[in-house]
Amino acid sequence: MKLACVIRKQHYQFTSVRDVLAKASEEKSGDRMSKIGANSALERMAAKVVLSELQLKDIYENPVIPYEKDEVTRVIYDDLNLSIYNEIKNWTVGELREYILSFSTGMPELTRISRGLTSEMIAATAKLMSSIDLVMASQKMRHQAYCNTLIGEPGRLAFRCQPNHPTDDPEGILASIKEGLSYGSGDAVIGINPNNDSVESVTKLLKMTYEFMLEWEIPTQNCVLAHITTQMQALRSGAPISLMFQSLAGSQRANDAFGVSKDLLDEALELMLRKGTAAGSNVMYFETGQGSEVSLDAHEGVDMQTLEARTYGFCRHWKPFMVNNVSGFIGPETLYDGRQMIRADLEDLFMGKLHGLPMGIAPTYTNHMHADQNDQEIAGMLTVLAGANFYMGVPGGDDVMLSYQDTSYHDDASYRELLGLRPLREFEKWLEKMGLMENGRLTERAGDLSVFD
Amino acid sequence: MMKQINMDDLIQRVMAELAKKTGEVIHFPEQKVCGVDNPHNPEALERAMARTPARIGIGRAGTRMKTVSYLQFRIDQAAAQDAVMKTISPEWLQQLQLPELHSRATSMQEYLMDLESGRLLSDESVRWLEQYGDKDKDVQIVISDGLSTSACEATIPDLLPALLQGLAMRNISVGKPVFIHKGRVWIQDQVAKIVNCKVVLSLIGERPGLATAESLSAYMIYKPDANTVESDRTVVSNIHRGGTQPIEAGAYLAELLADILKYQASGVKYMQLRAQNS
């Protein structure tokens, strides 16, 4: 394994695969804060050179966090298909990049090698890719999942209707749900972030959304994004849940901080398959995003992007319906500005897809980072082009409970309009029945929540 | 240079006066404006819009926002960005008569970019707390500007008396509250260790959102130690005029702290114990 190189007559030496991965990452403030990023622009390039010549087996044999120490590593390695891995283990990362981009490599080939790739290999490849590389590779992959609706079909784009309210007022939440639906947003899920995480309150919101879905015969799923243990308690007491939510991270220590483990997720999935209301078998909804491990001081010396890839390697074990990437939610200490946020979104979409996941993107920004609406819309348009499965839908792009900006109901409708994309099949029929959509385009009636009154 | 600034200021003031006289001044609406053309049920729409601070009923131009709601959104975002950089008013702090401590962050930039700097007390503040902090109490309260000084200024004057009264009613002992400049949540672990309290409560200004820059969060943890994880913390967020009212929040927090003391646990552990006993 070669961990050194000479460029511009300068000798660069790296200490480990982990070190190479960290220094080969595009510049991000979180890696700088944990003091593992490259110290100069040329050092970053030297790390990319070394990375491009590493063989996949070098990465396999040197997981960034040891197998014995970390549950995320164990899930990734235990789920790997060794037969496929053995076929490609002598490839360099540079060769893997070219294979992915080659004309003769399509969705079937990528789906296959995906099963022989560890998350670190996928992260490594992304570090050698530019924006167009990432978008073109992402476009090749489209992963479907089935809950009550089928997500991920070509030519279709779905949204989570995110009707949060600062005090969980059910009527206020319902008002935002109606508004979202009238813009065609809500086919991925009607998902509420609760302010009050108690079982009683969460149950009330689950019942409210479920009854509304029944009353108006809306083909979608409901979810209240409380801690997974709260949702499990609600489910045991008979609350109607079609999707179970949890935030996940790429190191065991960070997942400990979130209060989750493999055992708990196994139990949650089993419970959902027995007691949940969904028609299909993809019943989990995960959220991830670069930087959570850093902000929990649980990065283990690994860069944010590699940790994010590991999160996907962990996620895929439970065959989720949705994996939503929310890079940009934390703040400038992890992603400094719009440029870093856009890069993270493109990397994450590609990495998630190469893990075989039904990925969605939430291009987000907070008010204490150096980004604005223009950056967010650029990230949104690029990832739509790259073929994300879904986005969030927040009234006017302003989440009044979580205090950050995400894609709006208007943006959702615009993304469909920009590329001629349709809502999910069952949901489009419902929109037509409601007189809100015709031939894939919003009607005059759309955008008026009072059509439900 | 000085002269130049005064001149600009003067010109601005004259222009403002002139504009007032001639009526040529725009009073841009700050409240949500209904933008739906020909709504199906105007009364229902109006009721819905009043029920939530969310930007609903704003209508559309094609699939895009109408001009007024787009500009309102950008104005609110600009105000929120500016609010982050505001520093707390010394007069306000004086009125509250709280001892002032400092984290290790010496500037807003350092505070924003280096989490560690806001998670630990400065050496001087450690010494002060060791010497003058109230020890061995049930509850220690920490107030911090965090990312919004406006949140502290808008909520603490109502919240703190209600909270202290609620704790007194339940005979829960409380150490004198302290204000920590540029403190992050985890600084509460260090405070708890120094004063040896059972529960530490931090009241911290949240990052400003568009709907409000005055939102405060409360974080509580029972006897934090080396094994503490994030999910051990109990959080109450969205304390502001448009969310949970500050006075109400004070009373609720007192009740919650009593419960945490009863179960000797906070965070997910507390929720599970409570559910088992209900």
Side-chain angles (χ1 to χ4, degrees), chain A residues 33 165 169 179 183 195 257 295 329 332-333 367 396 398 401 410-411 414 443 446 448 450, chain B residues 40-41 51 55 57 59-60 63-64 73 77 112-113 119 186 207-208 231 237-238 271 275:
Chain A
M33 186 170 66
H165 186 280
D169 171 38
E179 173 96 351
Y183 279 86
N195 183 37
S295 60
F329 184 76
E333 73 277 20
N367 295 312
D398 162 22
M401 202 283 277
H410 295 75
D411 295 339
S414 306
T443 63
D448 174 10
S450 71
Chain B
H40 174 71
N41 184 336
R51 195 74 201 202
R55 288 162 203 263
R60 59 192 176 88
T63 57
R64 303 308 294 157
F73 174 89
Q77 209 259 323
L112 281 178
M113 299 307 289
R119 287 171 173 170
W186 292 5
R207 58 192 191 192
S231 55
S237 62
N238 279 276
M271 295 296 274

mmCIF file of all heavy atoms in Angstrom, chain A residues 33 165 169 179 183 195 257 295 329 332-333 367 396 398 401 410-411 414 443 446 448 450, chain B residues 40-41 51 55 57 59-60 63-64 73 77 112-113 119 186 207-208 231 237-238 271 275:
data_model
loop_
_atom_site.group_PDB
_atom_site.id
_atom_site.type_symbol
_atom_site.label_atom_id
_atom_site.label_comp_id
_atom_site.label_asym_id
_atom_site.label_seq_id
_atom_site.Cartn_x
_atom_site.Cartn_y
_atom_site.Cartn_z
ATOM 1 N N MET A 33 -12.211 21.834 11.837
ATOM 2 C CA MET A 33 -12.395 21.932 13.289
ATOM 3 C C MET A 33 -11.846 20.692 13.992
ATOM 4 O O MET A 33 -11.247 20.786 15.052
ATOM 5 C CB MET A 33 -13.881 22.123 13.623
ATOM 6 C CG MET A 33 -14.138 22.379 15.091
ATOM 7 S SD MET A 33 -15.845 22.872 15.421
ATOM 8 C CE MET A 33 -16.730 21.388 14.973
ATOM 9 N N HIS A 165 -45.306 22.907 13.438
ATOM 10 C CA HIS A 165 -45.907 24.038 14.146
ATOM 11 C C HIS A 165 -45.169 24.199 15.487
ATOM 12 O O HIS A 165 -44.864 23.196 16.130
ATOM 13 C CB HIS A 165 -47.397 23.756 14.372
ATOM 14 C CG HIS A 165 -48.146 24.912 14.958
ATOM 15 N ND1 HIS A 165 -48.115 25.205 16.304
ATOM 16 C CD2 HIS A 165 -48.932 25.856 14.388
ATOM 17 C CE1 HIS A 165 -48.860 26.288 16.524
ATOM 18 N NE2 HIS A 165 -49.359 26.699 15.378
ATOM 19 N N ASP A 169 -49.817 22.483 17.483
ATOM 20 C CA ASP A 169 -51.266 22.680 17.415
ATOM 21 C C ASP A 169 -51.827 21.886 16.233
ATOM 22 O O ASP A 169 -51.504 22.170 15.074
ATOM 23 C CB ASP A 169 -51.560 24.179 17.240
ATOM 24 C CG ASP A 169 -53.028 24.438 16.954
ATOM 25 O OD1 ASP A 169 -53.862 23.734 17.549
ATOM 26 O OD2 ASP A 169 -53.334 25.336 16.143
ATOM 27 N N GLU A 179 -52.335 22.989 2.733
ATOM 28 C CA GLU A 179 -51.612 23.872 1.815
ATOM 29 C C GLU A 179 -50.638 23.046 0.962
ATOM 30 O O GLU A 179 -50.593 23.180 -0.257
ATOM 31 C CB GLU A 179 -50.846 24.944 2.606
ATOM 32 C CG GLU A 179 -49.914 25.819 1.766
ATOM 33 C CD GLU A 179 -50.516 27.146 1.328
ATOM 34 O OE1 GLU A 179 -51.741 27.341 1.531
ATOM 35 O OE2 GLU A 179 -49.773 27.982 0.791
ATOM 36 N N TYR A 183 -50.483 21.940 -3.326
ATOM 37 C CA TYR A 183 -49.372 22.175 -4.262
ATOM 38 C C TYR A 183 -48.818 20.851 -4.809
ATOM 39 O O TYR A 183 -47.794 20.830 -5.482
ATOM 40 C CB TYR A 183 -48.232 22.935 -3.569
ATOM 41 C CG TYR A 183 -48.449 24.433 -3.468
ATOM 42 C CD1 TYR A 183 -49.165 24.981 -2.415
ATOM 43 C CD2 TYR A 183 -47.931 25.297 -4.429
ATOM 44 C CE1 TYR A 183 -49.363 26.348 -2.316
ATOM 45 C CE2 TYR A 183 -48.119 26.669 -4.346
ATOM 46 C CZ TYR A 183 -48.839 27.192 -3.284
ATOM 47 O OH TYR A 183 -49.027 28.547 -3.198
ATOM 48 N N ASN A 195 -42.755 19.102 18.421
ATOM 49 C CA ASN A 195 -42.040 19.894 19.419
ATOM 50 C C ASN A 195 -42.087 19.163 20.752
ATOM 51 O O ASN A 195 -41.136 19.183 21.518
ATOM 52 C CB ASN A 195 -42.684 21.278 19.534
ATOM 53 C CG ASN A 195 -41.934 22.163 20.502
ATOM 54 O OD1 ASN A 195 -40.707 22.113 20.569
ATOM 55 N ND2 ASN A 195 -42.656 22.933 21.276
ATOM 56 N N ALA A 257 -25.106 8.527 21.067
ATOM 57 C CA ALA A 257 -25.581 9.862 21.465
ATOM 58 C C ALA A 257 -27.019 10.088 20.999
ATOM 59 O O ALA A 257 -27.807 10.738 21.675
ATOM 60 C CB ALA A 257 -24.670 10.939 20.893
ATOM 61 N N SER A 295 -20.346 17.367 15.443
ATOM 62 C CA SER A 295 -20.965 18.210 16.460
ATOM 63 C C SER A 295 -21.233 17.426 17.737
ATOM 64 O O SER A 295 -21.430 18.015 18.789
ATOM 65 C CB SER A 295 -22.218 18.901 15.921
ATOM 66 O OG SER A 295 -23.153 17.951 15.523
ATOM 67 N N PHE A 329 -27.947 21.478 7.905
ATOM 68 C CA PHE A 329 -28.878 21.737 9.002
ATOM 69 C C PHE A 329 -28.149 22.195 10.261
ATOM 70 O O PHE A 329 -28.729 22.830 11.128
ATOM 71 C CB PHE A 329 -29.661 20.454 9.302
ATOM 72 C CG PHE A 329 -30.728 20.611 10.350
ATOM 73 C CD1 PHE A 329 -31.929 21.244 10.053
ATOM 74 C CD2 PHE A 329 -30.532 20.137 11.643
ATOM 75 C CE1 PHE A 329 -32.908 21.392 11.026
ATOM 76 C CE2 PHE A 329 -31.514 20.277 12.612
ATOM 77 C CZ PHE A 329 -32.712 20.911 12.305
ATOM 78 N N PRO A 332 -22.309 26.633 10.522
ATOM 79 C CA PRO A 332 -21.060 26.943 9.818
ATOM 80 C C PRO A 332 -19.854 26.190 10.355
ATOM 81 O O PRO A 332 -18.841 26.092 9.663
ATOM 82 C CB PRO A 332 -20.891 28.451 10.063
ATOM 83 C CG PRO A 332 -21.623 28.724 11.335
ATOM 84 C CD PRO A 332 -22.789 27.769 11.334
ATOM 85 N N GLU A 333 -19.953 25.638 11.574
ATOM 86 C CA GLU A 333 -18.811 24.893 12.111
ATOM 87 C C GLU A 333 -18.632 23.565 11.382
ATOM 88 O O GLU A 333 -17.585 22.954 11.454
ATOM 89 C CB GLU A 333 -18.959 24.682 13.627
ATOM 90 C CG GLU A 333 -20.004 23.662 14.057
ATOM 91 C CD GLU A 333 -21.421 24.228 14.123
ATOM 92 O OE1 GLU A 333 -21.677 25.268 13.491
ATOM 93 O OE2 GLU A 333 -22.270 23.616 14.792
ATOM 94 N N ASN A 367 -29.519 30.194 9.604
ATOM 95 C CA ASN A 367 -29.263 31.632 9.495
ATOM 96 C C ASN A 367 -27.941 32.059 10.102
ATOM 97 O O ASN A 367 -27.609 33.231 10.095
ATOM 98 C CB ASN A 367 -30.430 32.395 10.106
ATOM 99 C CG ASN A 367 -31.681 32.155 9.294
ATOM 100 O OD1 ASN A 367 -31.661 32.266 8.081
ATOM 101 N ND2 ASN A 367 -32.755 31.761 9.956
ATOM 102 N N GLY A 396 -43.565 27.972 2.400
ATOM 103 C CA GLY A 396 -42.739 29.149 2.134
ATOM 104 C C GLY A 396 -41.260 28.922 2.393
ATOM 105 O O GLY A 396 -40.481 29.868 2.483
ATOM 106 N N ASP A 398 -39.810 28.044 5.041
ATOM 107 C CA ASP A 398 -39.428 28.513 6.370
ATOM 108 C C ASP A 398 -40.018 27.567 7.410
ATOM 109 O O ASP A 398 -41.233 27.545 7.590
ATOM 110 C CB ASP A 398 -39.967 29.950 6.516
ATOM 111 C CG ASP A 398 -40.053 30.432 7.964
ATOM 112 O OD1 ASP A 398 -39.346 29.892 8.823
ATOM 113 O OD2 ASP A 398 -40.828 31.382 8.201
ATOM 114 N N MET A 401 -40.823 25.736 13.239
ATOM 115 C CA MET A 401 -40.541 25.011 14.478
ATOM 116 C C MET A 401 -39.050 24.756 14.615
ATOM 117 O O MET A 401 -38.462 25.005 15.662
ATOM 118 C CB MET A 401 -41.322 23.686 14.478
ATOM 119 C CG MET A 401 -41.554 23.092 15.852
ATOM 120 S SD MET A 401 -40.142 22.286 16.558
ATOM 121 C CE MET A 401 -40.275 20.680 15.772
ATOM 122 N N HIS A 410 -43.592 25.587 -3.094
ATOM 123 C CA HIS A 410 -43.376 26.232 -4.399
ATOM 124 C C HIS A 410 -42.189 25.601 -5.128
ATOM 125 O O HIS A 410 -42.248 25.346 -6.323
ATOM 126 C CB HIS A 410 -43.128 27.730 -4.229
ATOM 127 C CG HIS A 410 -44.314 28.484 -3.689
ATOM 128 N ND1 HIS A 410 -44.700 28.419 -2.378
ATOM 129 C CD2 HIS A 410 -45.199 29.319 -4.296
ATOM 130 C CE1 HIS A 410 -45.778 29.182 -2.199
ATOM 131 N NE2 HIS A 410 -46.098 29.741 -3.335
ATOM 132 N N ASP A 411 -41.104 25.371 -4.364
ATOM 133 C CA ASP A 411 -39.918 24.748 -4.977
ATOM 134 C C ASP A 411 -40.261 23.348 -5.477
ATOM 135 O O ASP A 411 -39.826 22.938 -6.563
ATOM 136 C CB ASP A 411 -38.770 24.653 -3.967
ATOM 137 C CG ASP A 411 -38.263 26.025 -3.539
ATOM 138 O OD1 ASP A 411 -38.495 27.001 -4.279
ATOM 139 O OD2 ASP A 411 -37.641 26.126 -2.460
ATOM 140 N N SER A 414 -41.985 23.521 -8.586
ATOM 141 C CA SER A 414 -41.069 24.030 -9.617
ATOM 142 C C SER A 414 -40.124 22.939 -10.117
ATOM 143 O O SER A 414 -39.815 22.873 -11.304
ATOM 144 C CB SER A 414 -40.239 25.197 -9.065
ATOM 145 O OG SER A 414 -41.082 26.188 -8.531
ATOM 146 N N THR A 443 -53.356 22.844 -11.616
ATOM 147 C CA THR A 443 -54.484 23.568 -12.204
ATOM 148 C C THR A 443 -54.664 24.918 -11.512
ATOM 149 O O THR A 443 -53.962 25.224 -10.549
ATOM 150 C CB THR A 443 -55.787 22.772 -12.011
ATOM 151 O OG1 THR A 443 -56.032 22.665 -10.595
ATOM 152 C CG2 THR A 443 -55.698 21.382 -12.623
ATOM 153 N N ALA A 446 -55.072 24.768 -7.747
ATOM 154 C CA ALA A 446 -53.947 24.379 -6.891
ATOM 155 C C ALA A 446 -53.406 25.579 -6.115
ATOM 156 O O ALA A 446 -53.501 26.713 -6.564
ATOM 157 C CB ALA A 446 -52.843 23.774 -7.750
ATOM 158 N N ASP A 448 -54.448 26.413 -3.137
ATOM 159 C CA ASP A 448 -55.517 26.963 -2.298
ATOM 160 C C ASP A 448 -55.920 25.901 -1.275
ATOM 161 O O ASP A 448 -56.580 24.922 -1.605
ATOM 162 C CB ASP A 448 -56.709 27.338 -3.191
ATOM 163 C CG ASP A 448 -57.919 27.791 -2.385
ATOM 164 O OD1 ASP A 448 -57.792 27.998 -1.159
ATOM 165 O OD2 ASP A 448 -58.996 27.931 -3.001
ATOM 166 N N SER A 450 -58.034 25.948 0.938
ATOM 167 C CA SER A 450 -59.455 25.881 1.294
ATOM 168 C C SER A 450 -60.255 24.973 0.357
ATOM 169 O O SER A 450 -61.461 24.828 0.539
ATOM 170 C CB SER A 450 -60.063 27.281 1.361
ATOM 171 O OG SER A 450 -60.189 27.861 0.077
ATOM 172 N N HIS B 40 -61.457 29.075 -2.767
ATOM 173 C CA HIS B 40 -62.665 28.259 -2.723
ATOM 174 C C HIS B 40 -63.524 28.641 -1.513
ATOM 175 O O HIS B 40 -64.741 28.730 -1.599
ATOM 176 C CB HIS B 40 -62.233 26.793 -2.648
ATOM 177 C CG HIS B 40 -63.337 25.816 -2.444
ATOM 178 N ND1 HIS B 40 -64.252 25.539 -3.426
ATOM 179 C CD2 HIS B 40 -63.674 25.051 -1.373
ATOM 180 C CE1 HIS B 40 -65.100 24.632 -2.970
ATOM 181 N NE2 HIS B 40 -64.784 24.323 -1.735
ATOM 182 N N ASN B 41 -62.862 28.877 -0.379
ATOM 183 C CA ASN B 41 -63.572 29.219 0.851
ATOM 184 C C ASN B 41 -62.762 30.265 1.615
ATOM 185 O O ASN B 41 -61.899 29.917 2.422
ATOM 186 C CB ASN B 41 -63.767 27.937 1.688
ATOM 187 C CG ASN B 41 -64.583 28.195 2.938
ATOM 188 O OD1 ASN B 41 -64.644 29.322 3.446
ATOM 189 N ND2 ASN B 41 -65.193 27.147 3.461
ATOM 190 N N ARG B 51 -54.024 30.431 12.183
ATOM 191 C CA ARG B 51 -53.800 29.339 13.120
ATOM 192 C C ARG B 51 -52.324 28.954 13.251
ATOM 193 O O ARG B 51 -51.928 28.211 14.138
ATOM 194 C CB ARG B 51 -54.610 28.136 12.621
ATOM 195 C CG ARG B 51 -54.794 27.060 13.615
ATOM 196 C CD ARG B 51 -55.808 27.453 14.667
ATOM 197 N NE ARG B 51 -55.603 26.631 15.843
ATOM 198 C CZ ARG B 51 -56.531 26.402 16.770
ATOM 199 N NH1 ARG B 51 -57.723 26.965 16.667
ATOM 200 N NH2 ARG B 51 -56.256 25.635 17.810
ATOM 201 N N ARG B 55 -45.876 29.965 6.558
ATOM 202 C CA ARG B 55 -46.203 30.799 5.394
ATOM 203 C C ARG B 55 -47.190 30.068 4.491
ATOM 204 O O ARG B 55 -46.815 29.518 3.461
ATOM 205 C CB ARG B 55 -44.918 31.133 4.628
ATOM 206 C CG ARG B 55 -44.052 32.117 5.366
ATOM 207 C CD ARG B 55 -42.625 32.148 4.871
ATOM 208 N NE ARG B 55 -41.799 32.662 5.954
ATOM 209 C CZ ARG B 55 -41.414 33.937 6.072
ATOM 210 N NH1 ARG B 55 -41.714 34.811 5.152
ATOM 211 N NH2 ARG B 55 -40.705 34.323 7.120
ATOM 212 N N GLY B 57 -51.187 30.113 2.506
ATOM 213 C CA GLY B 57 -52.169 31.037 1.930
ATOM 214 C C GLY B 57 -51.521 32.171 1.158
ATOM 215 O O GLY B 57 -52.138 33.196 0.906
ATOM 216 N N GLY B 59 -50.330 32.086 -1.932
ATOM 217 C CA GLY B 59 -50.558 32.096 -3.376
ATOM 218 C C GLY B 59 -49.303 31.837 -4.178
ATOM 219 O O GLY B 59 -48.258 31.493 -3.634
ATOM 220 N N ARG B 60 -49.417 32.005 -5.509
ATOM 221 C CA ARG B 60 -48.282 31.656 -6.362
ATOM 222 C C ARG B 60 -48.344 32.411 -7.690
ATOM 223 O O ARG B 60 -49.419 32.842 -8.114
ATOM 224 C CB ARG B 60 -48.273 30.141 -6.621
ATOM 225 C CG ARG B 60 -49.538 29.638 -7.285
ATOM 226 C CD ARG B 60 -49.646 28.122 -7.276
ATOM 227 N NE ARG B 60 -50.910 27.685 -7.837
ATOM 228 C CZ ARG B 60 -51.116 27.451 -9.135
ATOM 229 N NH1 ARG B 60 -50.139 27.628 -10.001
ATOM 230 N NH2 ARG B 60 -52.290 27.072 -9.566
ATOM 231 N N THR B 63 -45.398 28.478 -10.559
ATOM 232 C CA THR B 63 -45.095 27.678 -9.369
ATOM 233 C C THR B 63 -44.260 28.475 -8.371
ATOM 234 O O THR B 63 -43.836 27.937 -7.358
ATOM 235 C CB THR B 63 -44.312 26.395 -9.734
ATOM 236 O OG1 THR B 63 -43.110 26.789 -10.425
ATOM 237 C CG2 THR B 63 -45.130 25.468 -10.622
ATOM 238 N N ARG B 64 -43.987 29.715 -8.657
ATOM 239 C CA ARG B 64 -43.090 30.496 -7.788
ATOM 240 C C ARG B 64 -43.885 31.379 -6.827
ATOM 241 O O ARG B 64 -45.089 31.553 -6.963
ATOM 242 C CB ARG B 64 -42.138 31.355 -8.638
ATOM 243 C CG ARG B 64 -41.308 30.561 -9.623
ATOM 244 C CD ARG B 64 -40.562 29.410 -8.981
ATOM 245 N NE ARG B 64 -39.532 29.857 -8.049
ATOM 246 C CZ ARG B 64 -39.044 29.106 -7.046
ATOM 247 N NH1 ARG B 64 -39.506 27.886 -6.841
ATOM 248 N NH2 ARG B 64 -38.114 29.566 -6.251
ATOM 249 N N PHE B 73 -39.941 36.969 2.698
ATOM 250 C CA PHE B 73 -39.065 35.851 3.070
ATOM 251 C C PHE B 73 -37.606 36.307 3.137
ATOM 252 O O PHE B 73 -36.887 36.039 4.093
ATOM 253 C CB PHE B 73 -39.239 34.731 2.040
ATOM 254 C CG PHE B 73 -38.304 33.565 2.196
ATOM 255 C CD1 PHE B 73 -38.645 32.492 3.000
ATOM 256 C CD2 PHE B 73 -37.083 33.539 1.525
ATOM 257 C CE1 PHE B 73 -37.782 31.407 3.144
ATOM 258 C CE2 PHE B 73 -36.216 32.467 1.661
ATOM 259 C CZ PHE B 73 -36.572 31.395 2.473
ATOM 260 N N GLN B 77 -35.114 36.607 6.386
ATOM 261 C CA GLN B 77 -33.840 35.887 6.447
ATOM 262 C C GLN B 77 -32.688 36.844 6.728
ATOM 263 O O GLN B 77 -31.796 36.547 7.510
ATOM 264 C CB GLN B 77 -33.595 35.109 5.150
ATOM 265 C CG GLN B 77 -32.743 33.863 5.357
ATOM 266 C CD GLN B 77 -31.296 34.053 4.941
ATOM 267 O OE1 GLN B 77 -31.023 34.737 3.967
ATOM 268 N NE2 GLN B 77 -30.378 33.447 5.679
ATOM 269 N N LEU B 112 -18.666 30.495 16.826
ATOM 270 C CA LEU B 112 -19.377 29.826 15.731
ATOM 271 C C LEU B 112 -18.588 28.661 15.148
ATOM 272 O O LEU B 112 -19.144 27.623 14.832
ATOM 273 C CB LEU B 112 -19.675 30.820 14.601
ATOM 274 C CG LEU B 112 -20.853 31.777 14.786
ATOM 275 C CD1 LEU B 112 -20.944 32.714 13.587
ATOM 276 C CD2 LEU B 112 -22.161 31.027 14.960
ATOM 277 N N MET B 113 -17.286 28.844 14.995
ATOM 278 C CA MET B 113 -16.499 27.884 14.226
ATOM 279 C C MET B 113 -15.811 26.818 15.076
ATOM 280 O O MET B 113 -15.348 25.822 14.554
ATOM 281 C CB MET B 113 -15.446 28.616 13.384
ATOM 282 C CG MET B 113 -16.033 29.591 12.374
ATOM 283 S SD MET B 113 -17.279 28.848 11.303
ATOM 284 C CE MET B 113 -16.245 27.786 10.287
ATOM 285 N N ARG B 119 -17.944 25.126 24.862
ATOM 286 C CA ARG B 119 -18.366 24.016 25.727
ATOM 287 C C ARG B 119 -17.635 23.992 27.057
ATOM 288 O O ARG B 119 -17.910 23.156 27.913
ATOM 289 C CB ARG B 119 -18.136 22.690 24.998
ATOM 290 C CG ARG B 119 -19.133 22.444 23.890
ATOM 291 C CD ARG B 119 -18.772 21.240 23.053
ATOM 292 N NE ARG B 119 -19.845 20.947 22.107
ATOM 293 C CZ ARG B 119 -19.737 20.074 21.105
ATOM 294 N NH1 ARG B 119 -18.592 19.426 20.927
ATOM 295 N NH2 ARG B 119 -20.745 19.859 20.293
ATOM 296 N N TRP B 186 -23.258 21.913 26.218
ATOM 297 C CA TRP B 186 -22.444 20.993 27.025
ATOM 298 C C TRP B 186 -21.705 21.671 28.170
ATOM 299 O O TRP B 186 -21.190 20.990 29.046
ATOM 300 C CB TRP B 186 -21.437 20.246 26.138
ATOM 301 C CG TRP B 186 -22.079 19.274 25.198
ATOM 302 C CD1 TRP B 186 -23.428 19.080 25.013
ATOM 303 C CD2 TRP B 186 -21.433 18.355 24.317
ATOM 304 N NE1 TRP B 186 -23.654 18.118 24.064
ATOM 305 C CE2 TRP B 186 -22.450 17.644 23.618
ATOM 306 C CE3 TRP B 186 -20.098 18.055 24.041
ATOM 307 C CZ2 TRP B 186 -22.159 16.660 22.664
ATOM 308 C CZ3 TRP B 186 -19.803 17.075 23.082
ATOM 309 C CH2 TRP B 186 -20.825 16.386 22.413
ATOM 310 N N ARG B 207 -30.733 29.374 17.446
ATOM 311 C CA ARG B 207 -30.399 30.055 16.201
ATOM 312 C C ARG B 207 -31.674 30.743 15.696
ATOM 313 O O ARG B 207 -32.763 30.157 15.727
ATOM 314 C CB ARG B 207 -29.881 29.060 15.181
ATOM 315 C CG ARG B 207 -30.869 27.950 14.888
ATOM 316 C CD ARG B 207 -30.184 26.885 14.108
ATOM 317 N NE ARG B 207 -31.158 25.930 13.574
ATOM 318 C CZ ARG B 207 -30.805 24.768 13.054
ATOM 319 N NH1 ARG B 207 -29.548 24.417 13.015
ATOM 320 N NH2 ARG B 207 -31.699 23.951 12.569
ATOM 321 N N PRO B 208 -31.557 31.980 15.239
ATOM 322 C CA PRO B 208 -32.750 32.702 14.802
ATOM 323 C C PRO B 208 -33.365 32.063 13.560
ATOM 324 O O PRO B 208 -32.666 31.675 12.637
ATOM 325 C CB PRO B 208 -32.219 34.092 14.464
ATOM 326 C CG PRO B 208 -30.898 34.188 15.130
ATOM 327 C CD PRO B 208 -30.350 32.810 15.168
ATOM 328 N N SER B 231 -28.580 11.901 24.181
ATOM 329 C CA SER B 231 -29.976 11.505 24.410
ATOM 330 C C SER B 231 -30.317 11.441 25.898
ATOM 331 O O SER B 231 -31.442 11.131 26.257
ATOM 332 C CB SER B 231 -30.268 10.176 23.715
ATOM 333 O OG SER B 231 -29.348 9.194 24.127
ATOM 334 N N SER B 237 -38.052 23.097 23.531
ATOM 335 C CA SER B 237 -37.648 24.149 22.597
ATOM 336 C C SER B 237 -38.817 25.057 22.262
ATOM 337 O O SER B 237 -39.923 24.861 22.759
ATOM 338 C CB SER B 237 -37.068 23.522 21.331
ATOM 339 O OG SER B 237 -38.054 22.748 20.700
ATOM 340 N N ASN B 238 -38.546 26.034 21.438
ATOM 341 C CA ASN B 238 -39.590 26.943 20.966
ATOM 342 C C ASN B 238 -40.304 27.693 22.075
ATOM 343 O O ASN B 238 -41.525 27.770 22.121
ATOM 344 C CB ASN B 238 -40.601 26.190 20.095
ATOM 345 C CG ASN B 238 -40.086 26.012 18.679
ATOM 346 O OD1 ASN B 238 -40.211 26.893 17.841
ATOM 347 N ND2 ASN B 238 -39.454 24.885 18.432
ATOM 348 N N MET B 271 -37.982 9.472 29.790
ATOM 349 C CA MET B 271 -39.220 9.210 29.052
ATOM 350 C C MET B 271 -39.651 7.753 29.219
ATOM 351 O O MET B 271 -40.833 7.460 29.358
ATOM 352 C CB MET B 271 -39.047 9.514 27.557
ATOM 353 C CG MET B 271 -38.795 10.966 27.224
ATOM 354 S SD MET B 271 -40.170 12.035 27.654
ATOM 355 C CE MET B 271 -41.164 11.858 26.173
ATOM 356 N N ALA B 275 -43.008 6.429 31.072
ATOM 357 C CA ALA B 275 -44.003 5.647 30.329
ATOM 358 C C ALA B 275 -44.314 4.341 31.071
ATOM 359 O O ALA B 275 -45.456 3.902 31.115
ATOM 360 C CB ALA B 275 -43.499 5.355 28.928
#
